[in-house]
Amino acid sequence: MSHNTFGKNLRFTSFGESHGSTIGCVLDGFPPGMKITPEEIKRQLIRRATGQSRHTSQRKEKDDVQIVSGVFEGVTTGHPIALIIENTDARSKDYTNIAKQIRPGHADYSYWKKYSVRDYRGGGRSSARETTMRVAAGALARKWLFENYDITITAWLAQLGDIPLKAGDLTQIDESPFFTGEIEKVPELDQYMDALRKSGDSVGARINAKAVNVPAGLGEPVYGKLDAELALAMMSINATKGVEIGAGFASVAQNGSEHRDEIINNEFDSNYAGGILAGVSTGQDVTVSVAFKPTSSLRLPAKSIDVDGNAIDVITKGRHDPCVGIRATPIVEAMMALVIMDHIMRHKAQTQSTELV
Ligand code: EPS
């Protein structure tokens, strides 16, 4: 059973491979009546795209998105919204050498074991290229959330390798390639990434995110909890290795008297719950933190096997991100938007509520 779809009442399906002709998605269940243009979607796509700075993959895709269904005269119709983007800068010959080789730490191994056939060009379906469509669909969801509920979603780089970063001024996150609000740290991050790139190695990252003005009452007990579905959405992003909601793993060392977010004068006094209690939103900011592993495609040789089980040294060419987690920031935002919007649809469908408070 294949799983290229997520969401219940707002359903997202993506298709396409990194070096195929086209990538695309269908967003079904989107309400009618919202104005949207390809240019608005592209504004989000550029934030995620490769080739925007020296610290990312130098593949240069135009990411010109075409709206092929579900929008008439610039307005959503309520029918499936289909979006496509042509791949224009794939260099498949970079991958000829690894056609029969397994990159350690990569989907190469597990996809080979599962399907016995693999599109080795740029990682095929396992490539971060697929996340383009999540950001495209997320652009529609975040616009709808803002127009209808004043909800804003912001993610930022909270750690690069061993460098921790404060949230700082989150209005500044688009002012550097690092999506950091601690803008004074950018020269240090530049230096760090330059040295890393020269070394040929890669590093992980932590992305934090928050959704503001999320109404109370979103989340479906017990198997459709908001936190469970946010975790699933984040874990589905390439290279994710960990997800925390609110205090996350730090709550292990807390006492209940500290963690329980007391309510004083009808207001929460803290937010260790991350805006979600028992899987249902409380009206506080919904907070998520996501850990991304270091990119596994490296030009540094590594011990591995080929598809016949022979021992080899594998070297990857291609144009890879030394830290794929940095570019994950807009993807985290998009996934959060899609999950929250789906939950608003589901809440309305079950409770017949037109107003959420
Ligand atoms: C990727 C490898 C690189 C990245 C790609 C993700 O592809 P290629 O080797 O074909 O240049 O450029 O990212 C994108 C193209 C994108 O739009 O995010 C990988 O192995 O995941």
Side-chain angles (χ1 to χ4, degrees):
M1 180 65 194
S2 190
H3 285 272
N4 293 288
T5 301
F6 75 87
K8 288 273 190 290
N9 288 16
L10 179 71
R11 288 184 304 286
F12 168 91
T13 303
S14 78
F15 60 89
E17 289 90 28
S18 181
H19 289 214
S21 68
T22 308
I23 51 173
C25 71
V26 175
L27 190 58
D28 198 5
F30 200 91
M34 189 186 85
K35 286 186 184 163
I36 191 74
T37 63
E39 292 71 31
E40 281 173 276
I41 299 174
K42 187 155 176 180
R43 274 202 285 281
Q44 289 298 329
L45 291 175
I46 289 170
R47 298 176 67 224
R48 189 215 68 92
T50 51
Q52 302 292 311
S53 86
R54 68 182 188 277
H55 302 311
T56 64
S57 157
Q58 291 305 299
R59 180 164 159 182
K60 292 209 165 51
E61 290 291 345
K62 291 195 198 79
D63 283 353
D64 283 336
V65 63
Q66 296 173 52
I67 304 175
V68 296
S69 159
V71 175
F72 178 63
E73 294 182 337
V75 175
T76 59
T77 57
H79 302 303
I81 297 172
L83 308 172
I84 56 167
I85 293 174
E86 282 175 25
N87 289 325
T88 54
D89 189 32
R91 279 198 326 222
S92 302
K93 66 172 169 27
D94 287 349
Y95 291 89
T96 317
N97 289 347
I98 63 153
K100 291 191 182 306
Q101 300 185 338
I102 303 289
R103 285 168 283 182
H106 197 276
D108 286 347
Y109 187 83
S110 49
Y111 277 30
W112 176 248
K113 289 283 175 190
K114 183 174 176 67
Y115 300 109
S116 306
V117 57
R118 78 180 220 272
D119 178 353
Y120 56 83
R121 305 162 309 159
R125 182 74 182 149
S126 72
S127 168
R129 180 86 189 121
E130 183 270 342
T131 61
T132 315
M133 299 323 302
R134 307 179 191 216
V135 173
L140 280 102
R142 55 198 299 167
K143 182 171 184 186
W144 189 89
L145 290 171
F146 184 67
E147 287 189 348
N148 290 278
Y149 291 94
D150 217 15
I151 294 173
T152 55
I153 295 172
T154 311
W156 63 96
L157 184 67
Q159 189 170 337
L160 176 66
D162 58 4
I163 306 176
L165 293 151
K166 298 190 187 81
D169 177 0
L170 292 179
T171 64
Q172 299 289 305
I173 59 167
D174 283 326
E175 301 305 315
S176 83
F178 296 106
F179 298 102
T180 178
E182 222 187 321
I183 204 83
E184 56 281 9
K185 280 263 182 92
V186 168
E188 184 188 340
L189 302 179
D190 272 328
Q191 258 182 11
Y192 181 86
M193 289 301 294
D194 286 341
L196 182 70
R197 196 173 58 253
K198 273 186 206 132
S199 76
D201 218 334
S202 62
V203 80
R206 178 192 277 263
I207 306 298
N208 286 356
K210 66 174 177 183
V212 177
N213 293 332
V214 176
L218 302 183
E220 301 304 328
V222 289
Y223 297 112
K225 291 178 175 178
L226 183 60
D227 40 8
E229 298 208 348
L230 282 169
L232 173 64
M234 298 308 159
M235 284 303 295
S236 77
I237 302 173
N238 316 53
T240 304
K241 278 295 176 193
V243 182
E244 295 181 307
I245 309 286
F249 281 88
S251 59
V252 174
Q254 285 182 311
N255 289 120
S257 54
E258 182 191 6
H259 181 86
R260 63 187 167 178
D261 299 327
E262 288 185 84
I263 303 168
I264 301 169
N265 297 329
N266 218 12
E267 282 192 14
F268 288 103
D269 197 40
S270 52
N271 187 15
Y272 294 117
I276 302 173
L277 287 173
V280 178
S281 63
T282 60
Q284 284 199 283
D285 293 354
V286 173
T287 63
V288 180
S289 185
V290 191
F292 291 91
K293 70 173 184 171
T295 318
S296 52
S297 299
L298 302 174
R299 63 178 154 83
L300 302 177
K303 300 273 173 237
S304 187
I305 51 167
D306 63 18
V307 293
D308 300 316
N310 303 308
I312 54 160
D313 278 337
V314 63
I315 295 176
T316 312
K317 293 184 185 151
R319 297 158 288 178
H320 296 284
D321 294 84
C323 177
V324 77
I326 300 172
R327 265 190 323 118
T329 313
I331 310 168
V332 168
E333 291 178 350
M335 294 306 278
M336 212 166 173
L338 288 163
V339 170
I340 290 171
M341 183 169 169
D342 180 35
H343 273 277
I344 291 179
M345 302 296 164
R346 285 151 75 174
H347 178 84
K348 284 184 174 186
Q350 188 198 5
T351 62
Q352 302 182 359
S353 158
T354 48
E355 291 301 321
L356 281 156
V357 286

